[in-house]
Amino acid sequence: AMLKASAPADALSLNSANSAAAAGLRVVRSYERSADGAALVLRFNLTNGGRSPVEVGAVGLAMPESPGHPPAGIESVVWNDAHVGGAHGWVEFVRVVGDEATLLVTPADRISSPLEAWRPMMEDLGGGDAYEWVVASAAWAAEWANNTQWPHLAMSDSLKQQYPPFATDPETPWPTTDGKRAMPRLAASGGGAARPWVDPTTLLLRPGETSSIALRLQLAEAGPRTRDAALAKMGSAVLRAVPGYVLSPHLPGTLFVQPPAGATVSTARADPPSGADTATLDATLRAPLPSGFVPVRLTAAGYGEARLRVAFSDGSEALAHYYVLPPFERQVAALGAHLADVAWLPREYPDPFGRSASVMPWDRSICPYSGEPCGHVLNDARAYDAGLSDDAGGGNPLCLAAKVRAAPTAHEASRVDEYIRWTLYGVKPDTASPPLKSLQIREEEVAAGEADAESVDGVRMTMFYYNCSGPKGAPPCSDASSGHFAWRYSEADKCHKPFGGPTWCMTETMANATYRGFNYPHQISSYWAMYHVARHTTLPTARDWHWYLYRAGKTALKLGTSNVGFMDGTVAREVLAALLVEGEAGNTTLAAIGAQLRGQMQRRQQRWAVTPHPYGSEFGFDTTGQEEVVVWNLYFGNETAAKLTVDHVLSYMRSSPTWPYHGGARSWGDVGNNGKYLATFGTGVQDRGQMHYRAGLNMIPLIEWYRRHPEEGAFLLEVAMGAMAGQLVNIDPATGATSMMYHASPHMRAFDPHSGDYGLGFFGNALETGAYYVVDAALGPLCFLCVATPQEGGGGGGGGVAIEPRDAYRISAYLEPLGLYVQSECGRFSRLVYDGRQSVQVEFEAGSAQLCAVQRLKLTKQALQRPGTGFAVRGAPLVRGAYESASLTMLVTFSLEGAAAAPVAAA
């Protein structure tokens, strides 16, 4: 336990843990069997043996994860995550692979042992990270309000000496990756770290008084899916949120509360806004359901974080931490405008490397010398970040392409066209300097003898590079010349310092390499997006649809038969589907590419199906390739192998009533590669990032498994929805600028200002987001990212339901009672009316006619455990896998084969 205190005038003040003995404090640890015999109780009794009262400012219990990092000893690796929920908070430990065994820690005594804070232990603990269950946090909270945490209260002298700019009145101990100034004090506005998840308290002990801090440790019966059932058995409240813990004024929500045993819900209310947050939640209690859950209807307003308190008749209180956004559609529109007009580097910009006509990385933090956002990142010691490839460079054009595919506008589509024409697959002799290079090796270069046939269609490592004179491209690196033209390399001094590595300041030779498969899906996405625009909409494009799909297919073939999964590799499946559809329609060139691509992907899938834990990347283990492992195993029909990985994903994609942890995944080292604020630099503790792109990627396998297997319950859907909506929180609604992740450590609680690799997670959001209508066994009818309204007079005399999508795109919907996935290839849904027996009427927005010559509707029966066959659109032809109609209303008919459909009435 870490003890630290401030004190009233008549109390003894403790300045360090070592003062505890001098203060007369005695700590006794014991291990007990719980009264019901089902759990282990870990207890610490703190007794004040002195003559004066002692106020303890911070008390915590270490909760270390297992030592080591996969792949070494992966079968024994265990990770933890917390819901910082006070009296009903908990920590969840999950084994990474195998049975995903799950151990839960809850307060054995809700009064003395709440989870008030979840603190990274930055003290010198040796190897590995450890977090602390903090029951009293006031002393820590005072430091967090300054974005610091003991023992790192000021910038180290060594760092100041290494980077002299840091020596000038640094506001915090933390450097930034540009090496020019320290991170500013972000909590000065009163939000973020200045407002902890739970109100901080102290522990006051009178002379002779003992405080007993006790935690209950108990296994869930069968992994993460049974977590909530275990919490209920342990006497904790269970919270489930629809659609999740991210809401908007346009999207009402419901928090379903299962009270602790023997208690009832008394009240539900939200805290008033604080600091820069203006978010409010209006809470209304509804009658308990037969399952025992109590619905709390929520209406949101404003913007930012909101804390909901649910009080119980036993005197305890549960907390749920929400985030309120503008309407999701508006949030995505702001993103599109930012990418197309602000982060966009115009074609006429005189960049000698040829990076103009592209979306460049953006720094949304305020630069002190201008009072404006720092803006375009054209110089970086991480060459790929500023070179349009890898994740932080390629993620920005990918982000725009993903937005254009899901919600196209003429202007934004023209930007993707410009990027392809002049930068990805073309050069600009008038604004770039020789040697002129496109990001992708073009067929014309081979014809002209400028590239060999093996490299054609390859994607370069980066368009930005350094001129380094050390052996094998090592520093020193020039700060004035690329070797071909003059360039002021403002970050060259970091090529040999702690912010980088020997290959970050890549030389021209390194930059021209095309072997790295991870660079390809980002660029394939631009071609795929423009194929969709050219093929399915009336928007103008520079090329015809065939050219874009040909380029997408040829680039996808460069993925080869790699034994690792690529980030956003799902785009190759989408390209394959298009190639096969167009091939079946008679295009033999595209059919041949599709057949070859299918063969390559099947060889990858077959290898993964027999490989234990195929989760490597450029590292022995990562959480970035699981997406493709699941997607391709499902595509080729191996559900056994797919489920092993889906279960594994649940070890780091959690359900939690704390919004950044709800589907938020976890990030290792990504801020050093892609971000700006190095908020744990020099501490030995990893900077904990949530809602990094790993969340948006790992949502894909979860949501796709759920659509096939809704009979397993809505747990995977709830986690996936957390990631879907959570990726939109990274967008600043005022500017549309993005953040690569949320710094979740309590001394930060803030978004990183660099766009970084955000686009990879947004790809998942744009691909999978939709309205999900579900009938849940415990909660009844639910609408995720939609509003459901009962309809009378359905087929067969029963009732029906009208589903109004409220997601950002309104092009996808899933009807769980039928296991039916409905997708629009052109046109936006206004509502879907399911009559409960024999039809679904799909209604399109009137504006769809301005975008589409015909509306195109795809119907996919995904869940075999749900009734319904023969889905078709009455009176509409099936053209290349989708039903086409000029009408804004399509009637989907089907047969239930004598089976009764699941209940449909909306609550």
Side-chain angles (χ1 to χ4, degrees):
M2 172 71 183
L3 306 179
K4 191 176 182 183
S6 58
D10 61 342
L12 180 65
S13 175
L14 301 181
N15 296 316
S16 73
N18 295 330
S19 303
L25 279 183
R26 185 173 71 252
V27 182
V28 177
R29 180 181 62 190
S30 63
Y31 299 94
E32 309 164 7
R33 184 183 297 273
S34 63
D36 61 6
L40 172 70
V41 175
L42 173 62
R43 187 180 302 277
F44 288 83
N45 287 334
L46 278 68
T47 301
N48 180 4
R51 299 179 179 179
S52 300
V54 176
E55 186 177 24
V56 186
V59 182
L61 291 75
M63 294 272 140
E65 295 181 333
S66 60
H69 187 79
I74 190 171
E75 290 83 1
S76 62
V77 171
V78 175
W79 290 334
N80 61 23
D81 266 321
H83 163 47
V84 189
H88 291 277
W90 41 260
V91 173
E92 181 181 21
F93 290 82
V94 181
R95 184 176 289 140
V96 172
V97 295
D99 58 0
E100 285 77 36
T102 300
L103 175 70
L104 296 170
V105 184
T106 63
D109 183 326
R110 298 193 197 109
I111 296 175
S112 69
S113 312
L115 180 51
E116 189 168 290
W118 183 238
R119 184 185 73 87
M121 301 179 73
M122 294 184 182
E123 306 88 287
D124 185 6
L125 300 176
D129 289 0
Y131 274 68
E132 184 178 67
W133 179 300
V134 182
V135 300
S137 61
W140 292 119
E143 296 174 358
W144 296 337
N146 294 311
N147 295 122
T148 63
Q149 181 180 295
W150 182 88
H152 303 277
L153 303 179
M155 185 163 286
S156 67
D157 291 337
S158 62
L159 192 57
K160 291 179 181 179
Q161 292 170 7
Q162 197 160 35
Y163 287 93
F166 289 157
T168 307
D169 299 323
E171 294 185 46
T172 69
W174 316 118
T176 57
T177 51
D178 63 9
K180 293 182 171 60
R181 62 192 62 83
M183 187 189 87
R185 192 160 71 87
L186 304 174
S189 65
R195 189 189 184 199
W197 295 118
V198 180
D199 295 334
T201 65
T202 62
L203 175 62
L204 182 62
L205 292 173
R206 304 293 180 186
E209 185 178 3
T210 296
S211 177
S212 186
I213 299 169
L215 303 179
R216 181 183 177 107
L217 288 71
Q218 187 168 328
L219 287 170
E221 183 176 337
R225 287 177 172 87
T226 60
R227 193 272 315 277
D228 285 351
L231 286 174
K233 290 179 181 178
M234 298 170 76
S236 293
V238 174
L239 307 181
R240 293 176 61 185
V242 177
Y245 297 94
V246 178
L247 299 177
S248 81
H250 200 52
L251 182 67
T254 303
L255 181 68
F256 292 91
V257 182
Q258 184 178 17
T264 58
V265 176
S266 301
T267 61
R269 61 178 178 84
D271 288 357
S274 173
D277 293 321
T278 62
T280 61
L281 293 174
D282 182 52
T284 304
L285 287 175
R286 296 295 179 91
L289 301 175
S291 61
F293 279 90
V294 177
V296 181
R297 293 297 176 91
L298 299 172
T299 303
Y303 170 70
E305 290 188 321
R307 181 165 56 198
L308 185 73
R309 300 176 183 269
V310 180
F312 302 110
S313 59
D314 64 1
S316 66
E317 183 180 71
L319 301 178
H321 305 289
Y322 280 82
Y323 208 100
V324 179
L325 292 176
F328 292 177
E329 181 180 6
R330 190 190 308 168
Q331 191 79 340
V332 170
L335 168 69
H338 168 76
L339 296 172
D341 293 317
V342 181
W344 181 258
L345 193 66
R347 188 208 175 284
E348 60 271 18
Y349 185 87
D351 179 64
F353 295 97
R355 296 171 295 176
S356 59
S358 73
V359 186
M360 288 296 291
W362 187 263
D363 179 357
R364 72 189 196 188
S365 63
I366 302 301
C367 280
Y369 52 82
S370 67
E372 299 290 333
C374 294
H376 287 115
V377 180
L378 300 180
N379 269 293
D380 203 305
R382 305 163 297 188
Y384 47 81
D385 281 29
L388 293 174
S389 198
D390 194 69
D391 304 334
N396 297 284
L398 163 65
C399 194
L400 179 58
K403 195 277 179 187
V404 165
R405 201 282 310 174
T409 68
H411 174 58
E412 291 165 8
S414 74
R415 291 302 202 202
V416 181
D417 246 343
E418 282 189 69
Y419 171 65
I420 292 172
R421 180 182 180 186
W422 297 113
T423 308
L424 175 57
Y425 207 74
V427 295
K428 300 172 284 291
D430 54 333
T431 60
S433 298
L436 300 176
K437 298 178 183 180
S438 55
L439 182 56
Q440 187 171 26
I441 308 295
R442 293 163 289 132
E443 293 174 352
E444 303 93 282
E445 294 178 74
V446 177
E450 299 170 358
D452 60 75
E454 286 293 315
S455 65
V456 70
D457 298 320
V459 175
R460 288 185 166 92
M461 293 280 275
T462 172
M463 294 184 72
F464 180 70
Y465 52 86
Y466 281 80
N467 176 21
C468 304
S469 57
K472 296 183 179 180
C477 302
S478 172
D479 63 0
S481 172
S482 73
H484 300 289
F485 45 79
W487 180 260
R488 182 179 175 274
Y489 288 96
S490 61
E491 311 302 303
D493 62 327
K494 291 194 291 300
C495 290
H496 63 288
K497 289 186 178 179
F499 297 100
T503 60
W504 283 20
C505 293
M506 294 178 180
T507 63
E508 185 179 9
T509 299
M510 297 175 187
N512 284 333
T514 59
Y515 64 85
R516 189 174 183 271
F518 299 92
N519 294 336
Y520 287 75
H522 315 337
Q523 313 307 333
I524 294 169
S525 296
S526 288
Y527 294 128
W528 177 57
M530 292 309 298
Y531 158 73
H532 166 72
V533 171
R535 188 55 155 153
H536 300 136
T537 80
T538 57
L539 298 178
T541 58
R543 301 274 195 162
D544 63 24
W545 65 265
H546 179 278
W547 187 89
Y548 296 115
L549 186 54
Y550 174 82
R551 291 266 16 102
K554 293 286 285 184
T555 309
L557 288 176
K558 298 296 284 188
L559 296 172
T561 58
S562 173
N563 61 0
V564 299
F566 298 127
M567 295 80 93
D568 298 313
T570 303
V571 72
R573 183 195 64 186
E574 301 301 301
V575 169
L576 174 58
L579 290 167
L580 296 180
V581 163
E582 300 292 359
E584 290 172 3
N587 191 303
T588 55
T589 299
L590 298 179
I593 296 173
Q596 185 179 352
L597 181 60
R598 187 183 189 281
Q600 290 181 185
M601 296 303 107
Q602 189 164 25
R603 286 194 288 277
R604 298 173 75 204
Q605 176 268 325
Q606 289 169 342
R607 188 183 303 119
W608 291 331
V610 297
T611 302
H613 323 312
Y615 308 132
S617 63
E618 290 161 303
F619 312 100
F621 174 86
D622 213 332
T623 58
T624 57
Q626 287 80 348
E627 165 210 357
E628 270 206 296
V629 172
V630 173
V631 161
W632 289 115
N633 270 299
L634 288 178
Y635 183 88
F636 290 109
N638 192 328
E639 289 207 345
T640 301
K643 187 175 187 300
L644 286 173
T645 297
V646 167
D647 291 346
H648 155 67
V649 169
L650 291 176
S651 72
Y652 55 87
M653 286 281 282
R654 310 289 179 86
S655 165
S656 171
T658 304
W659 70 263
Y661 290 86
H662 187 55
R666 53 158 65 186
S667 164
W668 294 276
D670 296 295
V671 68
N673 291 339
N674 310 293
K676 182 172 184 177
Y677 294 155
L678 301 177
T680 59
F681 187 86
T683 68
V685 174
Q686 287 279 355
D687 193 339
R688 185 59 182 271
Q690 299 294 125
M691 291 303 167
H692 179 248
Y693 80 70
R694 297 169 191 267
L697 284 196
N698 284 286
M699 171 269 294
I700 295 173
L702 297 187
I703 196 70
E704 296 204 356
W705 181 267
Y706 169 76
R707 288 200 298 264
R708 288 175 177 243
H709 293 284
E711 73 277 4
E712 294 182 358
F715 181 75
L716 266 65
L717 175 63
E718 292 172 33
V719 177
M721 282 286 165
M724 266 186 209
Q727 292 293 279
L728 300 183
V729 180
N730 297 44
I731 302 168
D732 178 0
T735 65
T738 62
S739 163
M740 55 83 61
M741 76 174 198
Y742 176 80
H743 292 267
S745 298
H747 73 285
M748 285 293 291
R749 296 238 300 118
F751 288 99
D752 196 274
H754 267 204
S755 58
D757 45 11
Y758 170 77
L760 281 68
F762 181 76
F763 167 87
N765 171 280
L767 178 70
E768 300 285 7
T769 290
Y772 280 67
Y773 177 73
V774 175
V775 179
D776 185 79
L779 307 183
L782 308 172
C783 222
F784 291 83
L785 301 182
C786 49
V787 174
T789 306
Q791 302 289 292
E792 296 301 326
V801 62
I803 301 156
E804 182 186 347
R806 295 287 177 89
D807 64 279
Y809 313 105
R810 305 181 192 189
I811 58 174
S812 299
Y814 181 73
L815 304 180
E816 178 271 336
L818 300 172
L820 178 66
Y821 194 38
V822 184
Q823 296 169 281
S824 171
E825 287 189 334
C826 198
R828 283 165 44 98
F829 300 145
S830 61
R831 68 174 191 162
L832 298 87
V833 182
Y834 170 38
D835 72 352
R837 289 296 303 175
Q838 59 193 10
S839 71
V840 178
Q841 181 169 292
V842 180
E843 301 172 6
F844 290 86
E845 294 180 356
S848 298
Q850 302 171 12
L851 182 69
C852 316
V854 291
Q855 280 64 240
R856 285 179 54 83
L857 193 68
K858 288 179 65 176
L859 305 174
T860 310
K861 171 73 174 186
Q862 295 206 332
L864 298 181
Q865 297 299 315
R866 291 292 179 262
T869 59
F871 293 92
V873 175
R874 180 179 294 172
L878 185 63
V879 181
R880 301 188 318 279
Y883 292 93
E884 290 190 345
S885 175
S887 171
L888 292 175
T889 300
M890 293 190 189
L891 186 65
V892 179
T893 61
F894 53 90
S895 170
L896 288 177
E897 299 176 328
V904 297

